[in-house]
Amino acid sequence: MSVPAFLRQVIERRGDARNIVLAKHDAFKALSAYDPAYAALKHAKLERLAEKTETDPAAELEHARRTMMAFGATEEVPYDSSGRVLLPPMMRAKGGIEELALFIGVGETFQIWNPKLFLADPNIADDMKDIARFRLDERGVSL
């Protein structure tokens, strides 16, 4: 699978590493991916969220759960100069990725989807599904 050029440019602008971090997405049956430098930003966001809820008795447990998933359930993988990345078996399973992967840029991160799951998800906007179908058609793939 290849990281699209525009995403590689964002990753490489933040640091010299030719690695991406993969994690199970919080809300979707997909992977969330980002460059290693984003991990510090993610940690700061989680800390700010914890500060907002520190008076809630359940907040400490929720914060521990979030940080465990954000940093303990990730894998850092390299990509080559053409953008090819090998998705580790555990991450493929967590994201439901089979033979094809759909890369979607979403701001500071990007998502990696099984196109079938993306098209079937009722929470995905129809316009995004149209784009995914167009990309699949470009490759001669119909689902």
Side-chain angles (χ1 to χ4, degrees), residues 5-59:
F6 76 95
L7 292 173
R8 282 196 314 269
Q9 291 168 358
V10 170
I11 292 168
E12 291 168 5
R13 206 172 305 136
R14 288 193 202 163
D16 295 331
R18 285 194 178 268
N19 294 321
I20 58 172
V21 178
L22 301 172
K24 170 71 179 81
H25 194 280
D26 289 339
F28 297 117
K29 179 68 174 180
L31 297 177
S32 180
Y34 46 90
D35 63 280
Y38 179 73
L41 295 173
K42 189 171 187 170
H43 182 266
K45 287 179 183 183
L46 288 172
E47 290 302 309
R48 284 194 304 275
L49 181 60
E51 287 172 2
K52 289 180 184 178
T53 60
E54 65 188 353
T55 59
D56 180 356

Side-chain angles (χ1 to χ4, degrees), residues 77-137:
V77 296
Y79 63 90
D80 66 20
S81 60
S82 67
R84 286 180 302 188
V85 60
L86 293 176
L87 298 178
M90 181 185 71
M91 286 298 159
R92 289 179 76 94
K94 287 287 186 190
I97 309 294
E98 295 171 345
E99 65 278 352
L100 291 176
L102 177 65
F103 288 72
I104 305 287
V106 289
E108 297 175 316
T109 67
F110 61 98
Q111 298 169 357
I112 305 173
W113 284 81
N114 174 330
K116 292 177 199 172
L117 297 176
F118 185 82
L119 293 172
D121 193 311
N123 297 303
I124 303 299
D126 288 338
D127 286 340
M128 290 301 301
K129 290 179 181 182
D130 290 342
I131 292 168
R133 285 187 199 94
F134 180 82
R135 295 294 180 216
L136 290 166
D137 287 345

